Amino acid sequence: MTKPSKQLIWFSLTSIILLVATAAIAINFTIIKDFFTGLAYRPTDEMSRIRTDLNLTDKGTLIFNATMPELKEKSDFNTLCRGTETETAILGCYRDDRVYVYDITDEELIGIRELTSAHELLHAVYHRMSSQQKQELTDILVQVYQENQDTLGEEIDLYQDDQKKEEIYVRAGTEICDLPDELEKHYAEIFKNQDQIADYYKSYITVFKQIEQNLETLLKKAQDLETEITTKTAEYESGATNLNQEIQEFNNCANTPNCFTSRWAFNNQRNALLNRQNELENLYNEINQLISEYNTTATEYNENLLHGQALNMAINSAEKADQI
């Protein structure tokens, strides 16, 4: 077997060292670029507060500043982030290594701007990761995705296949608490408390889920009331028709000599008709109470529906006020 010459061995080692050095230079260049780009960042007071509230690590702060996040109102935000999409609510975007966040100020949606800023920050982090780093996280991210279909499934399915890995990475880091240790350690490089970021998600999404739950409950109640009103109304109408016919027969008999064999028979039949009339009056009152309850339920349903529409309009920069 021919042995390699010392010169060849030296050349191979030199190549390996050069490759490692090249990779290190590339990594350092990104860090250096982020550092100097971030020096020029002048956040508004509100964005500065958001940065503080995200409780970022030094690395997280470095990348955050480098992407120069800005809060944007509807017109500017749509120009920067929306493109041709007009149906979906878009809360923020990461483009050209910049982060833009829709400036949602609704007091009910506490934490939505913080969550969006964290979400877009993780897009920036992902784009700074090497292919190997991304691949090392793939299996654990797929596991988290499969175990959290109620939170991630429907949203992730909207993305193209080549975008799904990145979106799972971003959403897992901002929407799921108690992640596997490997992911906890990874996100801890960006956030000092990743669970706090997921809490921002819970605080705002709970508002929408509560309205959705209210609508489902109220709709079911209204449907049950409607069924009961229909049934009891039919019962009342049938009973009233029969009673009216029997009252007419009773009156005819009362006006016919010797139709009733005794005073007792007359009183007995009359009392029976009066009892049935009272029962029908009680049924009538019950139906009115059910109708009143139905109307109250319908009003409450409509109020929740309008409330939900208003909140959806607040987070969707494409919505117009006259659509409610």
Side-chain angles (χ1 to χ4, degrees), residues 105 108-109 186 188 190 239 255 286 296 314 316:
T105 56
E108 286 188 87
L109 303 177
H186 173 81
I190 307 300
N255 292 324
E286 184 180 352
T296 299
N316 191 347

Side-chain angles (χ1 to χ4, degrees), residues 57-101:
T57 63
D58 289 344
K59 179 180 178 180
T61 302
L62 179 74
I63 299 174
F64 184 96
N65 290 343
T67 60
M68 297 186 168
E70 289 186 57
L71 293 168
K72 292 293 185 181
E73 295 186 359
K74 181 180 292 188
S75 179
D76 288 341
F77 181 80
N78 286 340
T79 299
L80 290 163
C81 294
R82 183 162 289 281
T84 59
E85 173 58 59
T86 59
E87 298 297 327
T88 305
I90 298 174
L91 306 180
C93 68
Y94 170 71
R95 54 173 295 183
D96 301 328
D97 206 29
R98 292 291 308 277
V99 166
Y100 303 102
V101 177

Side-chain angles (χ1 to χ4, degrees), residues 156-250:
I156 298 298
D157 290 341
L158 298 175
Y159 288 84
Q160 300 294 327
D161 289 342
D162 60 340
Q163 298 175 317
K164 284 185 178 180
K165 286 184 181 179
E166 179 176 349
E167 200 61 25
I168 293 171
Y169 168 80
V170 171
R171 289 182 179 272
T174 54
E175 298 178 14
I176 307 297
C177 291
D178 302 321
L179 291 164
D181 289 344
E182 183 179 348
L183 280 181
E184 291 275 9
K185 291 177 182 177
H186 173 81
Y187 292 122
E189 296 177 9
I190 307 300
F191 306 113
K192 293 178 182 178
N193 185 355
Q194 183 270 332
D195 283 352
Q196 174 191 342
I197 306 302
D199 285 341
Y200 284 130
Y201 172 74
K202 288 181 182 177
S203 69
Y204 107 81
I205 205 66
T206 297
V207 177
F208 288 94
K209 287 185 175 180
Q210 185 60 60
I211 292 173
E212 183 179 353
Q213 183 178 335
N214 289 346
L215 288 173
E216 290 177 359
T217 300
L218 290 167
L219 180 60
K220 177 66 166 57
K221 182 179 180 181
Q223 290 171 336
D224 290 344
L225 285 168
E226 185 177 14
T227 299
E228 189 174 4
I229 290 169
T230 299
T231 300
K232 290 186 180 297
T233 298
E235 179 185 347
Y236 174 83
E237 290 175 348
S238 175
T241 298
N242 292 335
L243 179 61
N244 287 334
Q245 182 178 344
E246 292 181 28
I247 289 174
Q248 184 63 45
E249 292 174 355
F250 173 84

Side-chain angles (χ1 to χ4, degrees), residues 286-302:
E286 184 180 352
I287 291 170
N288 280 335
Q289 288 176 352
L290 290 171
I291 291 172
S292 178
E293 187 176 357
Y294 176 88
N295 290 335
T296 299
T297 302
T299 298
E300 192 174 349
Y301 177 89
N302 289 332

Side-chain angles (χ1 to χ4, degrees), residues 237-255 259-260 265-266 268-277 279-280:
E237 290 175 348
S238 175
T241 298
N242 292 335
L243 179 61
N244 287 334
Q245 182 178 344
E246 292 181 28
I247 289 174
Q248 184 63 45
E249 292 174 355
F250 173 84
N251 289 335
N252 290 338
C253 186
N255 292 324
C259 182
F260 287 105
F266 172 86
N268 187 54
Q269 189 170 343
R270 180 176 181 276
N271 289 335
L273 292 173
L274 289 173
N275 287 336
R276 287 178 59 192
Q277 187 176 41
E279 289 174 359
L280 277 178

Side-chain angles (χ1 to χ4, degrees), residues 33-45:
K33 179 178 179 292
D34 283 346
F35 174 76
F36 283 104
T37 302
L39 287 179
Y41 181 45
R42 297 293 181 268
T44 61
D45 290 344

